[in-house]
Amino acid sequence: MLEIIDFVIGEMENKLYSAECDLKKDKWENNEDKWMCESFIKDMKQSIKNAREWRSKLQKEIL
């Protein structure tokens, strides 16, 4: 179970890294697109944090 959660968190981190790279590289012609990317990054960081906390709680219950 924990391995699956770790895999999902890893995939989320990969998507976050990709979005952060896009934000740095792209020359944004449309501020709305840039805002959407920034918003995605913010939301993904929070989702990763929540997933890690949930994983930690689950691990404590298992042990």
Side-chain angles (χ1 to χ4, degrees), residues 1 5-6 19 22 24 26 28 30 32-34 40 44 47 55 57 59 61:
M1 176 75 162
I5 297 169
D6 290 339
D22 288 347
K24 291 177 186 173
D26 285 347
W28 299 94
N30 182 339
E32 186 174 330
D33 289 342
K34 182 179 180 183
F40 174 81
M44 187 59 72
S47 294
R55 185 203 183 281
K57 288 177 186 176
Q59 184 176 13
E61 289 177 9

Side-chain angles (χ1 to χ4, degrees), residues 1-59:
M1 176 75 162
L2 294 178
E3 294 84 13
I4 295 170
I5 297 169
D6 290 339
F7 173 79
V8 171
I9 291 172
E11 290 297 308
M12 293 167 70
E13 290 171 335
N14 290 339
K15 291 193 182 297
L16 173 62
Y17 177 77
S18 178
E20 288 173 334
C21 288
D22 288 347
L23 186 61
K24 291 177 186 173
K25 290 180 185 176
D26 285 347
K27 293 181 179 160
W28 299 94
E29 295 177 15
N30 182 339
N31 280 337
E32 186 174 330
D33 289 342
K34 182 179 180 183
W35 177 84
M36 288 174 57
C37 185
E38 291 170 337
S39 180
F40 174 81
I41 289 170
K42 180 181 173 188
D43 291 346
M44 187 59 72
K45 285 181 179 180
Q46 185 62 47
S47 294
I48 291 169
K49 179 182 174 194
N50 292 345
R52 285 183 180 147
E53 289 173 359
W54 181 69
R55 185 203 183 281
S56 177
K57 288 177 186 176
L58 185 61
Q59 184 176 13

